[in-house]
Amino acid sequence: MSSPVSRPLSWLDLARVRQGEPMADAINRSVRLAQTADRSGYTRIWFAEHHNMPHIASSATSLLIQHIAANTEHLRVGAGGIMLPNHSPLVIAEQFGTLGTLYPGRIDLGLGRAPGTDGQTMRALRRDGTESDRFHADVMELSGYLTGHTRIPEVNAFPGHGTDVPLYILGSSLYGAQLAATLGLPYAFASHFAPQMLEQAAQTYRENFSASGSLLGPDAQPHFIAAANVVVHDDADTARDQRHRAENSWIKMMLGRNRSLAEDDVEQLRDHPAGQQVLGMLSRTASGGPDEVTAWLESFADQVQADELMLVNLAPDEQVQHRAVELLAPSPAQS
């Protein structure tokens, strides 16, 4: 087996729902995968807030986090992320303050400013599109509740007050990089599906990081997390087949929203400009045998000076997903 990757490794679980299966099956699959990651020595596993997407089971993100935390022992469990403009900062502080009280030292709170859905669903969430303008102020308000230094006189989060649940800024643009640097917070870039500005965002974050203004105090250090897809297996041919199937699934999801695409149609779209654009979203993908994938991840992390890698298990088959977690484990898997 190859040597472990030198950076801390974590997982972003997209909690995918397969066509025709009950939502409970997808959630149970996420539990099993988290338990394998828990036994294998990973740093954290995150879940993302998405709405009105029948193929994703993590819309009630804090509830799923609670369920995963209850069924694991050591792994940090968190949001990658909560789309803060969809919510009141006080309510999120109460939710994650409760999680931090139930599972002390194991909860992360990543924050994004996108709606995590389409325009019509955004309106159903009671958003009018201007809420993201308050993102900076909302992060500050939320931090105040969790640290016990509220910015709203006589308003506190219970639970939440003084839990110090750690905050992370998420993004796929220079805005998030600049905000994370200004606030002195860790920053995670969504290069697993939006890689275009990765290098520039990483540079912007490091060059502008301010410890003096950090919400973490004057000793804060930059912490940059880069996301990447992985498909790894002992058998490289299996990995290649799984990657091909995963790419076709993305093409079908992105280009077949209002029509049914047969497998032959999807294969033809791989060479079409629209299909190439979808495949370009997945350009930060490591696939193959363990040595090949480990080398790719090391090179990728060096390229963007990542302090941590957030991996997305792109393989469609559950057995292959679990094997990927075992093969890339930072420490030997426990029996």
Side-chain angles (χ1 to χ4, degrees), residues 13-14 49 62 79 82 101 113 151 177 213 234 246 280 285-286 332:
D13 186 344
L14 300 179
E49 177 187 347
S62 59
I82 291 293
T101 300
R113 67 177 186 135
R151 290 174 167 80
D234 308 85
T285 298

Side-chain angles (χ1 to χ4, degrees), residues 137-155:
D138 283 351
V139 173
M140 298 288 287
E141 181 182 342
L142 175 58
S143 173
Y145 293 135
L146 293 172
T147 59
H149 302 289
T150 181
R151 290 174 167 80
I152 309 298
E154 301 183 10
V155 177

